[in-house]
Amino acid sequence: MAEEVLIVIDLQNDFCPGGALAVAGGDEIVPLVNDLIRRTDHVILTQDWHPAGHSSFASSHPGKQAFETIEMPYGPQTLWPDHCIQGSLGSDFHSGLAWTKAELVIRKGFRTAIDSYSAFFENDHTTPTGLGGYLKERGIDTITLVGLATDFCVAFSALDAVKQGFKTTVRLDACRGIDLNGSVEAMLKRMREAGVTLEDHSAD
């Protein structure tokens, strides 16, 4: 039997309304995500986990504003408001999330000098988180991704999952996007072209 896993991406307070980097409607997906968790045997969560003064924060670059792009040694990097600082209330999972069933929590973005969108690799696309090896060792070959945000951490996780050989689906009705300069449409296109299955059950 092919083993399947549900990966819930960054469903944390700072990405929900009222948080430091709020995704519009980010909290609306919680009941649906909880329903998917209940119906899935294997669940993994990712947690954005930045040290204070992280290099992806606009506040670390004098004169720069949030959502500007700068060049880092590993390529272009969007600058963000300070968010998901280790141990802060903002870094906690949304209080409504039924997270206790998670078999693994992958923390990302904890290296000060590099940001990390994907559940599988840092933003240099070469430093692995270990998730790919963990899933393969457990015989899991099919992944469904949900969470925040569609056009950043969900999309980059999906693209890397396909590259790693996993059969990958994104449930768009259980995601919400930031949409910087059309980034949602651009990333949906990239995911489709890479072979990610995009499903939306919101009309069901």
Side-chain angles (χ1 to χ4, degrees), residues 25 59 99 141:
S59 61
W99 58 266
D141 63 3

Side-chain angles (χ1 to χ4, degrees), residues 10-17 19-24 26 48 83-84 90 148:
D10 298 359
L11 201 38
Q12 294 164 262
N13 290 328
D14 267 346
F15 295 124
C16 290
L21 182 46
V23 180
D48 224 24
H83 67 280
C84 295
L148 305 172

Side-chain angles (χ1 to χ4, degrees), residues 175-190:
C175 301
R176 291 292 183 272
I178 295 176
D179 209 16
L180 280 184
N181 309 316
S183 52
V184 168
E185 205 42 61
M187 293 310 286
L188 291 179
K189 183 170 184 282
R190 273 184 69 180

Side-chain angles (χ1 to χ4, degrees), residues 57-78:
F57 294 166
S59 61
S60 300
H61 302 272
K64 294 291 182 188
Q65 300 296 314
F67 309 112
E68 282 185 41
T69 300
I70 62 164
E71 277 300 318
M72 297 288 263
Y74 51 84
Q77 170 67 50
T78 302

